[in-house]
PDB file of all heavy atoms in Angstrom:
ATOM      1  N   VAL A   4     -44.217  17.180 -31.489  1.00 57.00           N
ATOM      2  CA  VAL A   4     -43.985  16.480 -30.230  1.00 57.00           C
ATOM      3  C   VAL A   4     -42.652  15.738 -30.316  1.00 57.00           C
ATOM      4  O   VAL A   4     -42.419  14.988 -31.258  1.00 57.00           O
ATOM      5  CB  VAL A   4     -45.128  15.489 -29.937  1.00 57.00           C
ATOM      6  CG1 VAL A   4     -44.803  14.643 -28.716  1.00 57.00           C
ATOM      7  CG2 VAL A   4     -46.426  16.239 -29.724  1.00 57.00           C
ATOM      8  N   PRO A   5     -41.730  15.948 -29.356  1.00 66.00           N
ATOM      9  CA  PRO A   5     -40.422  15.280 -29.440  1.00 66.00           C
ATOM     10  C   PRO A   5     -40.568  13.762 -29.376  1.00 66.00           C
ATOM     11  O   PRO A   5     -41.369  13.229 -28.612  1.00 66.00           O
ATOM     12  CB  PRO A   5     -39.671  15.811 -28.209  1.00 66.00           C
ATOM     13  CG  PRO A   5     -40.400  17.044 -27.795  1.00 66.00           C
ATOM     14  CD  PRO A   5     -41.826  16.820 -28.188  1.00 66.00           C
ATOM     15  N   ALA A   6     -39.823  13.064 -30.198  1.00 94.00           N
ATOM     16  CA  ALA A   6     -39.762  11.609 -30.151  1.00 94.00           C
ATOM     17  C   ALA A   6     -38.344  11.203 -30.501  1.00 94.00           C
ATOM     18  O   ALA A   6     -37.912  11.369 -31.636  1.00 94.00           O
ATOM     19  CB  ALA A   6     -40.749  10.992 -31.118  1.00 94.00           C
ATOM     20  N   VAL A   7     -37.616  10.735 -29.503  1.00 97.00           N
ATOM     21  CA  VAL A   7     -36.243  10.276 -29.713  1.00 97.00           C
ATOM     22  C   VAL A   7     -36.255   8.773 -29.468  1.00 97.00           C
ATOM     23  O   VAL A   7     -36.512   8.321 -28.345  1.00 97.00           O
ATOM     24  CB  VAL A   7     -35.254  10.988 -28.772  1.00 97.00           C
ATOM     25  CG1 VAL A   7     -33.826  10.523 -29.058  1.00 97.00           C
ATOM     26  CG2 VAL A   7     -35.364  12.507 -28.930  1.00 97.00           C
ATOM     27  N   ILE A   8     -36.000   8.014 -30.500  1.00 98.00           N
ATOM     28  CA  ILE A   8     -36.247   6.571 -30.467  1.00 98.00           C
ATOM     29  C   ILE A   8     -34.981   5.791 -30.766  1.00 98.00           C
ATOM     30  O   ILE A   8     -34.262   6.106 -31.718  1.00 98.00           O
ATOM     31  CB  ILE A   8     -37.350   6.201 -31.487  1.00 98.00           C
ATOM     32  CG1 ILE A   8     -38.658   6.893 -31.099  1.00 98.00           C
ATOM     33  CG2 ILE A   8     -37.534   4.688 -31.572  1.00 98.00           C
ATOM     34  CD1 ILE A   8     -39.766   6.735 -32.107  1.00 98.00           C
ATOM     35  N   ALA A   9     -34.711   4.772 -29.956  1.00 98.00           N
ATOM     36  CA  ALA A   9     -33.649   3.804 -30.243  1.00 98.00           C
ATOM     37  C   ALA A   9     -34.293   2.599 -30.913  1.00 98.00           C
ATOM     38  O   ALA A   9     -35.181   1.959 -30.334  1.00 98.00           O
ATOM     39  CB  ALA A   9     -32.936   3.389 -28.965  1.00 98.00           C
ATOM     40  N   ALA A  10     -33.867   2.318 -32.144  1.00 98.00           N
ATOM     41  CA  ALA A  10     -34.325   1.128 -32.867  1.00 98.00           C
ATOM     42  C   ALA A  10     -33.245   0.067 -32.698  1.00 98.00           C
ATOM     43  O   ALA A  10     -32.197   0.110 -33.355  1.00 98.00           O
ATOM     44  CB  ALA A  10     -34.554   1.446 -34.337  1.00 98.00           C
ATOM     45  N   VAL A  11     -33.503  -0.881 -31.804  1.00 98.00           N
ATOM     46  CA  VAL A  11     -32.483  -1.833 -31.353  1.00 98.00           C
ATOM     47  C   VAL A  11     -32.749  -3.212 -31.951  1.00 98.00           C
ATOM     48  O   VAL A  11     -33.887  -3.706 -31.901  1.00 98.00           O
ATOM     49  CB  VAL A  11     -32.478  -1.943 -29.816  1.00 98.00           C
ATOM     50  CG1 VAL A  11     -31.376  -2.887 -29.351  1.00 98.00           C
ATOM     51  CG2 VAL A  11     -32.319  -0.565 -29.172  1.00 98.00           C
ATOM     52  N   GLY A  12     -31.695  -3.843 -32.482  1.00 98.00           N
ATOM     53  CA  GLY A  12     -31.836  -5.231 -32.894  1.00 98.00           C
ATOM     54  C   GLY A  12     -31.584  -5.469 -34.359  1.00 98.00           C
ATOM     55  O   GLY A  12     -30.551  -5.090 -34.896  1.00 98.00           O
ATOM     56  N   VAL A  13     -32.545  -6.087 -35.041  1.00 98.00           N
ATOM     57  CA  VAL A  13     -32.341  -6.652 -36.378  1.00 98.00           C
ATOM     58  C   VAL A  13     -32.289  -5.571 -37.454  1.00 98.00           C
ATOM     59  O   VAL A  13     -33.259  -4.840 -37.672  1.00 98.00           O
ATOM     60  CB  VAL A  13     -33.455  -7.665 -36.704  1.00 98.00           C
ATOM     61  CG1 VAL A  13     -33.337  -8.148 -38.145  1.00 98.00           C
ATOM     62  CG2 VAL A  13     -33.371  -8.864 -35.742  1.00 98.00           C
ATOM     63  N   HIS A  14     -31.133  -5.500 -38.127  1.00 98.00           N
ATOM     64  CA  HIS A  14     -30.925  -4.622 -39.273  1.00 98.00           C
ATOM     65  C   HIS A  14     -30.498  -5.491 -40.454  1.00 98.00           C
ATOM     66  O   HIS A  14     -29.555  -6.283 -40.335  1.00 98.00           O
ATOM     67  CB  HIS A  14     -29.852  -3.581 -38.974  1.00 98.00           C
ATOM     68  CG  HIS A  14     -30.285  -2.518 -38.013  1.00 98.00           C
ATOM     69  ND1 HIS A  14     -30.441  -2.756 -36.661  1.00 98.00           N
ATOM     70  CD2 HIS A  14     -30.606  -1.216 -38.220  1.00 98.00           C
ATOM     71  CE1 HIS A  14     -30.833  -1.638 -36.070  1.00 98.00           C
ATOM     72  NE2 HIS A  14     -30.944  -0.685 -36.996  1.00 98.00           N
ATOM     73  N   VAL A  15     -31.195  -5.341 -41.574  1.00 98.00           N
ATOM     74  CA  VAL A  15     -31.002  -6.210 -42.732  1.00 98.00           C
ATOM     75  C   VAL A  15     -30.966  -5.360 -44.000  1.00 98.00           C
ATOM     76  O   VAL A  15     -31.670  -4.341 -44.082  1.00 98.00           O
ATOM     77  CB  VAL A  15     -32.158  -7.233 -42.856  1.00 98.00           C
ATOM     78  CG1 VAL A  15     -31.941  -8.183 -44.033  1.00 98.00           C
ATOM     79  CG2 VAL A  15     -32.331  -8.023 -41.562  1.00 98.00           C
ATOM     80  N   LEU A  16     -30.186  -5.777 -44.985  1.00 97.00           N
ATOM     81  CA  LEU A  16     -30.289  -5.200 -46.314  1.00 97.00           C
ATOM     82  C   LEU A  16     -31.076  -6.164 -47.187  1.00 97.00           C
ATOM     83  O   LEU A  16     -30.656  -7.303 -47.398  1.00 97.00           O
ATOM     84  CB  LEU A  16     -28.912  -4.952 -46.930  1.00 97.00           C
ATOM     85  CG  LEU A  16     -28.975  -4.293 -48.317  1.00 97.00           C
ATOM     86  CD1 LEU A  16     -29.468  -2.847 -48.208  1.00 97.00           C
ATOM     87  CD2 LEU A  16     -27.620  -4.338 -49.016  1.00 97.00           C
ATOM     88  N   ASP A  17     -32.230  -5.716 -47.674  1.00 96.00           N
ATOM     89  CA  ASP A  17     -33.067  -6.521 -48.567  1.00 96.00           C
ATOM     90  C   ASP A  17     -32.732  -6.212 -50.021  1.00 96.00           C
ATOM     91  O   ASP A  17     -32.587  -5.032 -50.395  1.00 96.00           O
ATOM     92  CB  ASP A  17     -34.551  -6.217 -48.349  1.00 96.00           C
ATOM     93  CG  ASP A  17     -35.162  -7.011 -47.202  1.00 96.00           C
ATOM     94  OD1 ASP A  17     -34.455  -7.837 -46.602  1.00 96.00           O
ATOM     95  OD2 ASP A  17     -36.353  -6.774 -46.911  1.00 96.00           O
ATOM     96  N   THR A  18     -32.645  -7.249 -50.836  1.00 96.00           N
ATOM     97  CA  THR A  18     -32.581  -7.091 -52.283  1.00 96.00           C
ATOM     98  C   THR A  18     -33.855  -7.683 -52.867  1.00 96.00           C
ATOM     99  O   THR A  18     -34.119  -8.877 -52.728  1.00 96.00           O
ATOM    100  CB  THR A  18     -31.352  -7.801 -52.875  1.00 96.00           C
ATOM    101  OG1 THR A  18     -30.163  -7.216 -52.330  1.00 96.00           O
ATOM    102  CG2 THR A  18     -31.323  -7.661 -54.388  1.00 96.00           C
ATOM    103  N   HIS A  19     -34.666  -6.835 -53.480  1.00 91.00           N
ATOM    104  CA  HIS A  19     -35.951  -7.241 -54.032  1.00 91.00           C
ATOM    105  C   HIS A  19     -35.792  -7.500 -55.533  1.00 91.00           C
ATOM    106  O   HIS A  19     -35.186  -6.702 -56.252  1.00 91.00           O
ATOM    107  CB  HIS A  19     -36.997  -6.136 -53.846  1.00 91.00           C
ATOM    108  CG  HIS A  19     -37.064  -5.585 -52.463  1.00 91.00           C
ATOM    109  ND1 HIS A  19     -37.977  -6.012 -51.530  1.00 91.00           N
ATOM    110  CD2 HIS A  19     -36.309  -4.635 -51.840  1.00 91.00           C
ATOM    111  CE1 HIS A  19     -37.797  -5.343 -50.405  1.00 91.00           C
ATOM    112  NE2 HIS A  19     -36.793  -4.508 -50.568  1.00 91.00           N
ATOM    113  N   VAL A  20     -36.350  -8.593 -55.983  1.00 93.00           N
ATOM    114  CA  VAL A  20     -36.340  -8.929 -57.409  1.00 93.00           C
ATOM    115  C   VAL A  20     -37.795  -9.121 -57.837  1.00 93.00           C
ATOM    116  O   VAL A  20     -38.460 -10.062 -57.395  1.00 93.00           O
ATOM    117  CB  VAL A  20     -35.526 -10.217 -57.676  1.00 93.00           C
ATOM    118  CG1 VAL A  20     -35.414 -10.452 -59.184  1.00 93.00           C
ATOM    119  CG2 VAL A  20     -34.142 -10.131 -57.037  1.00 93.00           C
ATOM    120  N   LEU A  21     -38.304  -8.211 -58.675  1.00 89.00           N
ATOM    121  CA  LEU A  21     -39.724  -8.231 -59.021  1.00 89.00           C
ATOM    122  C   LEU A  21     -39.993  -8.969 -60.330  1.00 89.00           C
ATOM    123  O   LEU A  21     -39.232  -8.842 -61.287  1.00 89.00           O
ATOM    124  CB  LEU A  21     -40.257  -6.797 -59.138  1.00 89.00           C
ATOM    125  CG  LEU A  21     -40.908  -6.266 -57.857  1.00 89.00           C
ATOM    126  CD1 LEU A  21     -39.869  -6.139 -56.755  1.00 89.00           C
ATOM    127  CD2 LEU A  21     -41.573  -4.926 -58.103  1.00 89.00           C
ATOM    128  N   ARG A  22     -41.102  -9.685 -60.320  1.00 89.00           N
ATOM    129  CA  ARG A  22     -41.610 -10.516 -61.416  1.00 89.00           C
ATOM    130  C   ARG A  22     -40.693 -11.709 -61.672  1.00 89.00           C
ATOM    131  O   ARG A  22     -40.205 -11.929 -62.777  1.00 89.00           O
ATOM    132  CB  ARG A  22     -41.843  -9.717 -62.697  1.00 89.00           C
ATOM    133  CG  ARG A  22     -42.762 -10.484 -63.695  1.00 89.00           C
ATOM    134  CD  ARG A  22     -43.095  -9.642 -64.905  1.00 89.00           C
ATOM    135  NE  ARG A  22     -41.933  -9.260 -65.667  1.00 89.00           N
ATOM    136  CZ  ARG A  22     -41.322 -10.061 -66.546  1.00 89.00           C
ATOM    137  NH1 ARG A  22     -41.760 -11.289 -66.754  1.00 89.00           N
ATOM    138  NH2 ARG A  22     -40.288  -9.608 -67.215  1.00 89.00           N
ATOM    139  N   VAL A  23     -40.503 -12.483 -60.635  1.00 92.00           N
ATOM    140  CA  VAL A  23     -39.769 -13.737 -60.753  1.00 92.00           C
ATOM    141  C   VAL A  23     -40.786 -14.850 -61.012  1.00 92.00           C
ATOM    142  O   VAL A  23     -41.545 -15.225 -60.125  1.00 92.00           O
ATOM    143  CB  VAL A  23     -38.958 -14.034 -59.470  1.00 92.00           C
ATOM    144  CG1 VAL A  23     -38.280 -15.399 -59.574  1.00 92.00           C
ATOM    145  CG2 VAL A  23     -37.928 -12.939 -59.240  1.00 92.00           C
ATOM    146  N   GLU A  24     -40.803 -15.349 -62.236  1.00 91.00           N
ATOM    147  CA  GLU A  24     -41.776 -16.377 -62.595  1.00 91.00           C
ATOM    148  C   GLU A  24     -41.289 -17.773 -62.237  1.00 91.00           C
ATOM    149  O   GLU A  24     -42.085 -18.668 -61.951  1.00 91.00           O
ATOM    150  CB  GLU A  24     -42.108 -16.280 -64.081  1.00 91.00           C
ATOM    151  CG  GLU A  24     -42.784 -14.945 -64.432  1.00 91.00           C
ATOM    152  CD  GLU A  24     -43.081 -14.806 -65.909  1.00 91.00           C
ATOM    153  OE1 GLU A  24     -42.552 -15.613 -66.701  1.00 91.00           O
ATOM    154  OE2 GLU A  24     -43.842 -13.883 -66.266  1.00 91.00           O
ATOM    155  N   SER A  25     -39.970 -17.964 -62.240  1.00 91.00           N
ATOM    156  CA  SER A  25     -39.402 -19.252 -61.862  1.00 91.00           C
ATOM    157  C   SER A  25     -37.898 -19.069 -61.707  1.00 91.00           C
ATOM    158  O   SER A  25     -37.335 -18.056 -62.136  1.00 91.00           O
ATOM    159  CB  SER A  25     -39.687 -20.328 -62.920  1.00 91.00           C
ATOM    160  OG  SER A  25     -39.055 -19.987 -64.141  1.00 91.00           O
ATOM    161  N   ILE A  26     -37.253 -20.025 -61.052  1.00 90.00           N
ATOM    162  CA  ILE A  26     -35.801 -20.039 -60.989  1.00 90.00           C
ATOM    163  C   ILE A  26     -35.290 -20.716 -62.258  1.00 90.00           C
ATOM    164  O   ILE A  26     -35.655 -21.871 -62.536  1.00 90.00           O
ATOM    165  CB  ILE A  26     -35.306 -20.804 -59.743  1.00 90.00           C
ATOM    166  CG1 ILE A  26     -35.911 -20.202 -58.478  1.00 90.00           C
ATOM    167  CG2 ILE A  26     -33.783 -20.803 -59.683  1.00 90.00           C
ATOM    168  CD1 ILE A  26     -35.553 -18.763 -58.224  1.00 90.00           C
ATOM    169  N   PRO A  27     -34.468 -20.040 -63.082  1.00 92.00           N
ATOM    170  CA  PRO A  27     -34.007 -20.650 -64.327  1.00 92.00           C
ATOM    171  C   PRO A  27     -33.257 -21.959 -64.083  1.00 92.00           C
ATOM    172  O   PRO A  27     -32.558 -22.116 -63.072  1.00 92.00           O
ATOM    173  CB  PRO A  27     -33.076 -19.585 -64.913  1.00 92.00           C
ATOM    174  CG  PRO A  27     -33.533 -18.305 -64.299  1.00 92.00           C
ATOM    175  CD  PRO A  27     -33.986 -18.661 -62.916  1.00 92.00           C
ATOM    176  N   ALA A  28     -33.428 -22.897 -65.009  1.00 94.00           N
ATOM    177  CA  ALA A  28     -32.743 -24.189 -64.898  1.00 94.00           C
ATOM    178  C   ALA A  28     -31.260 -24.056 -65.223  1.00 94.00           C
ATOM    179  O   ALA A  28     -30.847 -23.162 -65.974  1.00 94.00           O
ATOM    180  CB  ALA A  28     -33.391 -25.191 -65.849  1.00 94.00           C
ATOM    181  N   ASN A  29     -30.481 -24.937 -64.622  1.00 95.00           N
ATOM    182  CA  ASN A  29     -29.031 -25.013 -64.888  1.00 95.00           C
ATOM    183  C   ASN A  29     -28.390 -23.644 -64.689  1.00 95.00           C
ATOM    184  O   ASN A  29     -28.555 -23.039 -63.633  1.00 95.00           O
ATOM    185  CB  ASN A  29     -28.788 -25.566 -66.293  1.00 95.00           C
ATOM    186  CG  ASN A  29     -29.438 -26.928 -66.482  1.00 95.00           C
ATOM    187  OD1 ASN A  29     -29.360 -27.782 -65.599  1.00 95.00           O
ATOM    188  ND2 ASN A  29     -30.105 -27.118 -67.613  1.00 95.00           N
ATOM    189  N   SER A  30     -27.688 -23.126 -65.698  1.00 95.00           N
ATOM    190  CA  SER A  30     -27.068 -21.798 -65.594  1.00 95.00           C
ATOM    191  C   SER A  30     -27.754 -20.790 -66.503  1.00 95.00           C
ATOM    192  O   SER A  30     -27.155 -19.788 -66.907  1.00 95.00           O
ATOM    193  CB  SER A  30     -25.580 -21.891 -65.955  1.00 95.00           C
ATOM    194  OG  SER A  30     -24.879 -22.693 -65.035  1.00 95.00           O
ATOM    195  N   ASP A  31     -29.028 -21.049 -66.810  1.00 96.00           N
ATOM    196  CA  ASP A  31     -29.789 -20.140 -67.670  1.00 96.00           C
ATOM    197  C   ASP A  31     -30.121 -18.856 -66.927  1.00 96.00           C
ATOM    198  O   ASP A  31     -30.031 -18.776 -65.692  1.00 96.00           O
ATOM    199  CB  ASP A  31     -31.085 -20.808 -68.135  1.00 96.00           C
ATOM    200  CG  ASP A  31     -30.826 -22.007 -69.039  1.00 96.00           C
ATOM    201  OD1 ASP A  31     -29.699 -22.118 -69.550  1.00 96.00           O
ATOM    202  OD2 ASP A  31     -31.750 -22.819 -69.210  1.00 96.00           O
ATOM    203  N   GLY A  32     -30.538 -17.846 -67.672  1.00 95.00           N
ATOM    204  CA  GLY A  32     -30.934 -16.578 -67.091  1.00 95.00           C
ATOM    205  C   GLY A  32     -32.382 -16.256 -67.393  1.00 95.00           C
ATOM    206  O   GLY A  32     -33.052 -16.957 -68.150  1.00 95.00           O
ATOM    207  N   ALA A  33     -32.871 -15.170 -66.799  1.00 94.00           N
ATOM    208  CA  ALA A  33     -34.236 -14.705 -67.048  1.00 94.00           C
ATOM    209  C   ALA A  33     -34.294 -13.203 -66.783  1.00 94.00           C
ATOM    210  O   ALA A  33     -33.538 -12.680 -65.952  1.00 94.00           O
ATOM    211  CB  ALA A  33     -35.226 -15.436 -66.150  1.00 94.00           C
ATOM    212  N   LEU A  34     -35.178 -12.524 -67.485  1.00 94.00           N
ATOM    213  CA  LEU A  34     -35.372 -11.101 -67.274  1.00 94.00           C
ATOM    214  C   LEU A  34     -36.416 -10.865 -66.188  1.00 94.00           C
ATOM    215  O   LEU A  34     -37.393 -11.612 -66.082  1.00 94.00           O
ATOM    216  CB  LEU A  34     -35.823 -10.433 -68.571  1.00 94.00           C
ATOM    217  CG  LEU A  34     -34.805 -10.440 -69.713  1.00 94.00           C
ATOM    218  CD1 LEU A  34     -35.426  -9.805 -70.958  1.00 94.00           C
ATOM    219  CD2 LEU A  34     -33.528  -9.711 -69.319  1.00 94.00           C
ATOM    220  N   VAL A  35     -36.204  -9.822 -65.395  1.00 94.00           N
ATOM    221  CA  VAL A  35     -37.164  -9.425 -64.366  1.00 94.00           C
ATOM    222  C   VAL A  35     -37.440  -7.934 -64.528  1.00 94.00           C
ATOM    223  O   VAL A  35     -36.755  -7.240 -65.285  1.00 94.00           O
ATOM    224  CB  VAL A  35     -36.629  -9.730 -62.947  1.00 94.00           C
ATOM    225  CG1 VAL A  35     -36.453 -11.225 -62.750  1.00 94.00           C
ATOM    226  CG2 VAL A  35     -35.323  -8.990 -62.675  1.00 94.00           C
ATOM    227  N   ASP A  36     -38.444  -7.437 -63.805  1.00 91.00           N
ATOM    228  CA  ASP A  36     -38.828  -6.032 -63.947  1.00 91.00           C
ATOM    229  C   ASP A  36     -37.914  -5.084 -63.183  1.00 91.00           C
ATOM    230  O   ASP A  36     -37.549  -4.019 -63.668  1.00 91.00           O
ATOM    231  CB  ASP A  36     -40.262  -5.824 -63.450  1.00 91.00           C
ATOM    232  CG  ASP A  36     -41.290  -6.406 -64.396  1.00 91.00           C
ATOM    233  OD1 ASP A  36     -40.924  -6.737 -65.545  1.00 91.00           O
ATOM    234  OD2 ASP A  36     -42.454  -6.539 -63.986  1.00 91.00           O
ATOM    235  N   THR A  37     -37.568  -5.461 -61.937  1.00 90.00           N
ATOM    236  CA  THR A  37     -36.858  -4.546 -61.043  1.00 90.00           C
ATOM    237  C   THR A  37     -35.962  -5.321 -60.105  1.00 90.00           C
ATOM    238  O   THR A  37     -36.341  -6.394 -59.619  1.00 90.00           O
ATOM    239  CB  THR A  37     -37.863  -3.731 -60.184  1.00 90.00           C
ATOM    240  OG1 THR A  37     -38.759  -3.032 -61.040  1.00 90.00           O
ATOM    241  CG2 THR A  37     -37.145  -2.741 -59.272  1.00 90.00           C
TER     242      THR A  37
END
Side-chain angles (χ1 to χ4, degrees):
V4 173
V7 182
I8 298 173
V11 182
V13 174
H14 288 73
V15 182
L16 182 69
D17 276 357
T18 298
H19 311 263
V20 186
L21 265 65
R22 197 175 61 80
V23 176
E24 296 178 347
S25 64
I26 304 299
N29 303 317
S30 296
D31 295 343
L34 295 177
V35 296
D36 288 346
T37 303

